[in-house]
Amino acid sequence: MFVYQIDEELSLKLTELSDAERIFELTDESRPYLREWLPWLDTTTKVEDTRAFINICRKSYAENKGLHTVIVYRNEIVGVASFNEIDWNNKIAYIGYWLGQQYQGNGIMTRVAKALTDYAFHHLKLNRVEIRAAVNNHKSRSIPERLGFINEGQIRQHEWLYDHYVDHIVYGMLAKDWKTD
């Protein structure tokens, strides 16, 4: 099983079916908060929906096309972080993440995104990591900005969020530019 220890209080663990109830509980607790930026909240209404999602994630991992993990902070699942897709032909990983509302402000997601980027470059030997975030999702955008990712431009009407489109900013980091300290 995949477990990646980030520091003494934070790790990433491959998502398992046994995590479904906690992930759903966290989703449900943060539903209004998460719904502002994530398009899947209205179709995740019961724990079975979360189980179905985990099965898709596990298949992606088995096929070496993605890596979906739960974020474990102080021994509790507090969110999800992933390589939503790994493009092996072009050596690119696409990072996605969300955190339960009550866990914001602890530096968790910045450490997680840094760890995933390190893992992509040092273990998977990829060349590029990309993070996309809605233009007005300033919390999410601050993470790649804090880590030195380059704002490479804006994709107009990239995502449908329930009743409107949102533009996304594309952030990229190349292996040759990644500084770890």
Side-chain angles (χ1 to χ4, degrees):
M1 158 159 18
F2 177 87
V3 176
Y4 191 71
Q5 194 70 39
I6 297 171
D7 57 37
E8 64 282 345
E9 65 181 5
L10 190 60
S11 63
L12 300 174
K13 179 183 77 70
L14 187 66
T15 307
E16 301 178 67
L17 283 172
S18 60
D19 300 323
E21 287 186 24
R22 173 60 183 150
I23 294 169
F24 180 75
E25 174 187 18
L26 193 58
T27 300
D28 220 30
E29 290 170 359
S30 300
R31 189 172 297 277
Y33 170 76
L34 295 173
R35 194 176 188 281
E36 185 175 3
W37 301 115
L38 297 175
W40 46 264
L41 275 295
D42 288 358
T43 58
T44 305
T45 59
K46 54 193 178 303
V47 73
E48 290 77 21
D49 299 326
T50 301
R51 283 192 191 99
F53 170 73
I54 291 171
N55 281 326
I56 292 166
C57 295
R58 301 283 295 183
K59 182 176 188 280
S60 173
Y61 180 72
E63 295 173 351
N64 206 23
K65 294 179 179 176
L67 174 65
H68 297 78
T69 68
V70 289
I71 301 165
V72 181
Y73 177 68
R74 298 180 179 167
N75 299 313
E76 182 178 12
I77 293 173
V78 299
V80 173
S82 310
F83 294 136
N84 291 334
E85 177 187 353
I86 301 172
D87 176 348
W88 290 104
N89 290 329
N90 295 301
K91 298 186 184 227
I92 303 170
Y94 300 88
I95 293 178
Y97 44 74
W98 65 267
L99 195 61
Q101 185 173 9
Q102 65 269 39
Y103 301 100
Q104 299 285 319
N106 294 301
I108 294 170
M109 202 54 78
T110 300
R111 289 184 280 167
V112 165
K114 181 178 188 234
L116 282 173
T117 304
D118 277 337
Y119 191 81
F121 293 144
H122 298 126
H123 296 279
L124 300 180
K125 305 300 183 197
L126 299 176
N127 181 59
R128 176 180 168 80
V129 172
E130 190 172 295
I131 297 174
R132 295 181 182 193
V135 169
N136 292 321
N137 188 345
H138 300 290
K139 286 183 180 180
S140 188
R141 287 184 56 192
S142 71
I143 292 159
E145 290 171 358
R146 199 174 295 124
L147 294 173
F149 279 62
I150 302 300
N151 178 332
E152 296 179 335
Q154 184 169 326
I155 303 172
R156 297 178 308 140
Q157 296 188 1
H158 180 70
E159 185 176 41
W160 178 255
L161 282 179
Y162 307 102
D163 62 356
H164 66 287
Y165 284 102
V166 294
D167 296 354
H168 274 203
I169 300 295
V170 177
Y171 292 95
M173 177 60 71
L174 301 179
K176 70 179 186 67
D177 297 330
W178 182 241
K179 309 277 190 273
T180 54
D181 31 317

